[in-house]
Amino acid sequence: MIFNNKLFYFFCVIFCFVFLPSCSRSQLVSRRCFVMGTVVEVLCPSEAGATIVFDEFKRLDRLFDYFSDASEVSRLNKAGSIKASEELKVLIRESIEFSRDSNGAFDITCAPVVDIWKKAIRNKALPDEAEIKKALRLTGWDNISLDENSGRVAFKKKGMKIDLGAIAKGFALDCAVRKLKAKGINSALINAGGQIYCLGTNAGRPWKVGIQDARKKGDVIGSLYLDTKAVATSGDYEQFFEINGRRYCHIIDPRTGYPADSGLGSVTVVADNGITADVLATAIFVLGENKGLELAKRFKVSDVRMIKEVR
Ligand code: AMP
Ligand code: MG
């Protein structure tokens, strides 16, 4: 395996997730908080850094939480049109651009289809094809209109919904890092359930982020050494069910309405900011090896690692 190429991938039958080795934690404060549906962990020289990160994640979660009736996203999903906050405006603008760049592999409007598959994963049962077809009619990133001047976001079809699950954590990382820097904190590692930002260094050395075999915890299959970079992993090993040897996961191919089936088990992307890493990891997982690499090259990401499922 080659670990020094700028852009590379390797193939393997095992699945991975990103973990943080414990060796360099001793001089750091380590704090955890459950927010945005995941455990957010902050390693930082001071307690203040962790508090800043958690406050920012909680603030953004109040806007973006798909499951809370009180969130701004829920209000939009219910009403079909609202005057959006600056944060929601940015996320919608970015989402539309990423959808265009990925030829629709990334699409926040696939929420009605995502809902169906999340229920299927809970019940471990395949949904009705007719139900998927019906939900697909309510999707399409080009059916969102965003008026930059007034800030009004509107759906072109009644019943449309958005789900920011594949982009919100990356965005929150970028916002939290800006807040840390504004307070003069230039060293921290934030891990939001596999979406990670490595701010500065760990006492002069790059932060070490390991890629581990999820089936054999403790077996490291690769390491990343990062200084002021974001890294995100998307894969089919956390939320899924299997029927007749096929794995159905929570990442949907918006073009088919079915879980992505591109032959990849996981994708890890290293980029300059959290939003790019988060979105591209999801989009490349949908696109598969060849088209995924093309997209990664177009965005000049620092590193991309794909783990292919051998069938
Ligand atoms: P991630 O773990 O970052 O890859 O995001 C996965 C989550 O994003 C899922 O749980 C869904 O809520 C949502 N999602 C699934 N498929 C897509 C897709 N193709 N484009 C955008 N969001 C998606
Ligand atoms: Mg993502």
Side-chain angles (χ1 to χ4, degrees):
M1 284 186 291
I2 317 148
F3 284 102
N4 55 358
N5 281 2
K6 271 262 172 209
L7 188 69
F8 81 99
Y9 59 98
F10 57 88
F11 296 135
C12 186
V13 283
I14 50 184
F15 300 90
C16 84
F17 62 90
V18 176
F19 85 111
L20 308 171
S22 56
C23 55
S24 55
R25 290 172 181 233
S26 49
Q27 283 89 24
L28 300 167
V29 170
S30 166
R31 293 288 177 269
R32 288 163 183 235
C33 175
F34 189 82
V35 57
M36 283 201 176
T38 193
V39 176
V40 177
E41 180 177 22
V42 178
L43 299 179
C44 185
S46 74
E47 181 88 36
T51 306
I52 289 169
V53 171
F54 298 147
D55 285 352
E56 187 63 353
F57 267 76
K58 285 178 199 163
R59 184 181 75 82
L60 294 170
D61 197 28
R62 283 194 289 275
L63 300 178
F64 302 146
D65 187 353
Y66 185 75
F67 301 101
S68 157
D69 287 345
S71 75
E72 191 180 16
V73 160
S74 289
R75 281 196 290 115
L76 171 61
N77 286 343
K78 206 167 165 206
S81 167
I82 58 165
K83 187 172 164 2
S85 65
E86 200 50 44
E87 288 86 348
L88 185 61
K89 226 172 89 176
V90 171
L91 263 198
I92 287 182
R93 185 196 308 129
E94 292 274 342
S95 294
I96 290 171
E97 279 170 21
F98 279 117
S99 292
R100 194 175 285 123
D101 288 333
S102 66
N103 276 324
F106 174 83
D107 188 345
I108 56 172
T109 69
C110 68
V113 182
V114 167
D115 284 350
I116 291 174
W117 284 103
K118 285 197 171 161
K119 191 172 150 207
I121 290 170
R122 276 197 306 277
N123 297 337
K124 296 185 176 29
L126 284 174
D128 232 33
E129 206 179 320
E131 196 190 353
I132 293 167
K133 276 194 179 144
K134 196 171 157 208
L136 261 182
R137 280 188 231 119
L138 295 175
T139 66
W141 57 272
D142 47 352
N143 288 318
I144 308 178
S145 82
L146 169 63
D147 185 320
E148 288 286 351
N149 294 323
S150 67
R152 181 148 294 275
V153 180
F155 298 146
K156 294 180 190 167
K157 290 185 181 178
K158 196 170 156 39
M160 277 178 69
K161 291 197 284 185
I162 57 165
D163 171 345
L164 301 174
I167 187 170
K169 289 190 205 69
F171 178 74
L173 285 172
D174 295 337
C175 294
V177 164
R178 267 196 299 276
K179 292 256 153 128
L180 288 174
K181 285 184 181 165
K183 292 284 179 196
I185 299 172
N186 294 307
S187 167
L189 191 147
I190 313 166
N191 180 7
Q195 323 294 324
I196 294 171
Y197 196 100
C198 301
L199 173 62
T201 60
N202 179 10
R205 284 182 303 160
W207 295 98
K208 185 179 179 187
V209 177
I211 301 174
Q212 181 176 304
D213 174 359
R215 299 275 159 90
K216 291 186 214 138
K217 287 197 175 173
D219 282 11
V220 178
I221 57 169
S223 292
L224 301 162
Y225 294 88
L226 304 172
D227 173 348
T228 315
K229 292 279 178 201
V231 53
T233 297
S234 285
D236 66 359
Y237 49 84
E238 274 180 341
Q239 298 177 52
F240 69 92
F241 68 103
E242 282 179 339
I243 288 186
N244 296 331
R246 182 175 164 193
R247 185 174 284 231
Y248 298 89
C249 73
H250 69 301
I251 300 174
I252 304 305
D253 186 335
R255 301 161 302 183
T256 63
Y258 279 78
D261 187 27
S262 66
L264 298 177
S266 97
V267 177
T268 297
V269 174
V270 181
D272 288 341
N273 57 66
I275 206 168
T276 304
D278 194 359
V279 169
L280 291 192
T282 308
I284 293 171
F285 185 83
V286 172
L287 289 170
E289 181 194 344
N290 296 330
K291 290 201 168 120
L293 273 178
E294 275 173 31
L295 185 67
K297 279 181 187 156
R298 228 180 314 136
F299 276 86
K300 297 189 172 61
V301 303
S302 308
D303 205 339
V304 57
R305 304 190 181 198
M306 302 180 188
I307 294 187
K308 187 168 170 173
E309 181 186 11
V310 175
R311 300 175 185 199

